[in-house]
Amino acid sequence: MAAGAAAAAVGAVEEVGSVGQFEELLSLKAKSLLVVHFWAPWAPQCAQMNEVMAELAKEHPQVSFAKLEAEGVPEVSEKYEISSVPTFLFFKNSQKIDRLDGAHAPELTKKVQRHASSGSFPPSANEHLKEDLNLRLKKLTRAAPCMLFMKGTPQEPRCGFSKQMVEILHKHNIQFSSFDIFSDEEVRQGLKTYSNWPTYPQLYVSGELIGGLDIIKELEASEELDKICPKAPKLEERLKVLTNKASVMLFMKGNKQEAKCGFSKQILEILNSTGVEYETFDILEDEEVRQGLKAYSNWPTYPQLYVKGELVGGLDIVKELKENGELLPILRGEN
């Protein structure tokens, strides 16, 4: 790149349109922080976040910013498990160091500041950061009654110990949420000090560390595990409650404020045009519901619309009902 072009790119957001471009960017920006926005032209929240990123690019000339159309370069999106937009990935030394899902401008700003400055703070600022991290870890360990910090996810564990831990918790029907320590290096390192426990996985109940795999195996053998950890309601009961949570319930990717796929966006527009009140459930937030509801309703795709606990159908059926003038009576429970 010529010197003039390089200067022009400072404070600008680069567009990435191919796998080759993405790999070249990773290589070129290896020594600095690179923030990549996976976006889609149909999502208004992505346009807003592009504006936020343009502002951040002006404020942080030492940081490189790029945007990549998630559906336009599917090989990269699949490699980094991008399932919704907007999603931001943070790279240093060509390695992913952090991730942010959703349109959260304050959190994006915070992460850019934190990663851009890491390693260059005076001691007093380091102390301040340590306090912030401890507060974050306290919130994370209390994010659910039972929290598992693991390598990977319950659906895709990325080490044998994490896999065994998930199997034990599932076997005992224990309700838990999880955090993938590979998604956040700061949490991965910080939690070892916070809990004074050097390895993963780590299991917490009500914010208190229970221990790693060996301890959980001991608790299982002594039949104490069931007394310590909260039990999950049976999935079918949970789905029945969820589908009846409101008179009209929409299971979708995203929520009322922020659709995360084109089909969900279209069905929201149709429902909003009827003036009927409805609630939504974001299936991207809960893999158990996402998979379980397909079998429960015998309907393989999303979005799914329910009225009084009964499945109406997906986008095509809702469009058909609207065209036939039948949608409003169904939503009102008249049909």
Side-chain angles (χ1 to χ4, degrees), residues 206-323:
S206 305
E208 296 294 320
L209 175 69
I210 303 302
L213 180 62
D214 289 343
I215 302 256
I216 299 309
K217 281 181 171 176
E218 277 173 33
L219 289 170
E220 184 187 31
S222 64
E223 297 184 357
E224 289 176 73
L225 187 63
D226 291 323
K227 296 170 195 165
I228 292 169
C229 299
K231 288 283 186 180
K234 287 204 168 69
L235 180 59
E236 197 165 323
E237 287 167 23
R238 194 172 163 225
L239 294 174
K240 190 175 179 184
V241 169
L242 278 174
T243 52
N244 284 280
K245 190 179 168 193
S247 180
V248 179
M249 269 301 289
L250 176 65
F251 291 80
M252 61 178 287
K253 293 179 180 179
N255 54 43
K256 269 187 194 182
Q257 291 74 35
E258 190 184 320
K260 290 184 178 176
C261 85
F263 301 131
S264 293
K265 185 172 182 281
Q266 286 181 61
I267 207 165
L268 278 184
E269 286 166 357
I270 293 170
L271 289 177
N272 289 338
S273 73
T274 67
V276 171
E277 284 192 22
Y278 64 95
E279 292 292 324
T280 62
F281 184 94
D282 183 357
I283 53 137
L284 297 174
E285 297 285 321
D286 194 316
E287 191 61 25
E288 186 184 46
V289 170
R290 182 181 186 173
Q291 300 306 331
L293 197 60
K294 292 177 187 178
Y296 178 84
S297 62
N298 196 22
W299 195 269
T301 57
Y302 289 98
Q304 293 184 17
L305 183 69
Y306 290 76
V307 173
K308 294 184 176 170
E310 295 293 320
L311 176 70
V312 174
L315 177 62
D316 289 341
I317 288 186
V318 169
K319 276 181 173 175
E320 232 173 82
L321 291 170
K322 190 190 177 195
E323 282 163 19

